[in-house]
Amino acid sequence: MYEKYWKLKEKPFENTPDPRFFYYSTQHEEALTRLTYAIQERKGAALLTGVFGCGKTLLAQSLLDGLQRGSYRIALIANPQLEYSEFLRAIASRLGATGLPTKKTEILTDYLLDVLNEMLENNFSDGKDTVVIIDEAHVIEDKKIFEELRMLLNFQHKDRFLLTLLLLGQPELRKNVDNIKQLAQRIAIRYHLDKLSRQDSEGYILHRLKIAGKEAPIFTKEAQDLIFEQSGGIPRRINHICDMSLLIGFGNKEDKIGKDIIREVVSDLEGRP
Ligand SMILES: Nc1ncnc2c1ncn2[C@@H]1O[C@H](COP(=O)(O)OP(=O)(O)OP(=O)(O)O)[C@@H](O)[C@H]1O
Ligand SMILES: [Mg+2]
């Protein structure tokens, strides 16, 4: 709607996990480096936590983009609100297993663990690394599921893990994992994504505008400062504020977005996450 007015090729602040827009903030870069390290060095398991809207899902997408080019077999579980009996089945099926039982009553953990073990061994002999990514892992409540994940980590070839498990979720995930000592001990790498710094918040806005085709700044320095303060440095909130500001700026025929527009947007958005 406002793209033409602001001379943009597309909307810059969409809340979708589109890796083209990925901004390497200091923290996102560190998180990506650690998760990549966990995969490449076959560290077993890694844990990434962060408050909601800070970029975990987008980071997983960017990581996947990088991995697709390599020799990996990957299972991404984006919404793990699955019952205990369905969990391993979902992983096996995402890794390419066929002919798995569909009726819940027919799904047996031992059988699925055997299937998965065989798949991991086959991937290993094909020279492929297996990676299982579980996003939103904080919603997992059933301890039996964590127990199954721990069992997956027991599949090893000599001293080598046959899969890398990445657990991503909101901050409470740390506590949930730490409550299960045997699983916690297997998490070789941990990272917590915090809010963006003021500098990264500015870099983030400029970067997204640039990807959308706009090199010249649209937001004044004061506006950027206010966006940082009002968003708490959380990318999803920055997106909301910037998107609405571009719309209002277009409606008012502004040539720049100043702090007054940001104030107006923030008071409209009040109460939103
Ligand atoms: N580093 C980044 N570069 C570019 N955009 C980002 C970045 N981090 C987050 N975003 C933007 O913020 C939005 C929210 O990020 P994302 O959905 O990845 O957060 P999340 O941590 O998974 O949140 P939740 O806990 O609610 O699942 C994304 O759709 C994306 O547009
Ligand atoms: Mg997410």
Side-chain angles (χ1 to χ4, degrees), residues 12-18 21-25 28 50-60 135-136 138 169-170 193 196 204 207-208 234-237 239:
F13 298 104
E14 291 288 88
N15 268 324
T16 48
D18 181 348
F21 281 94
F22 191 75
Y23 172 66
Y24 287 82
S25 77
H28 286 95
V51 293
F52 111 126
C54 71
K56 302 177 292 293
T57 298
L58 179 62
L59 201 126
D135 197 4
E136 309 257 348
H138 58 276
Q170 291 177 11
L193 272 176
L196 297 177
Y204 174 88
H207 172 77
R208 293 198 67 120
I234 304 296
R236 187 181 287 138
R237 292 207 210 128
N239 286 354

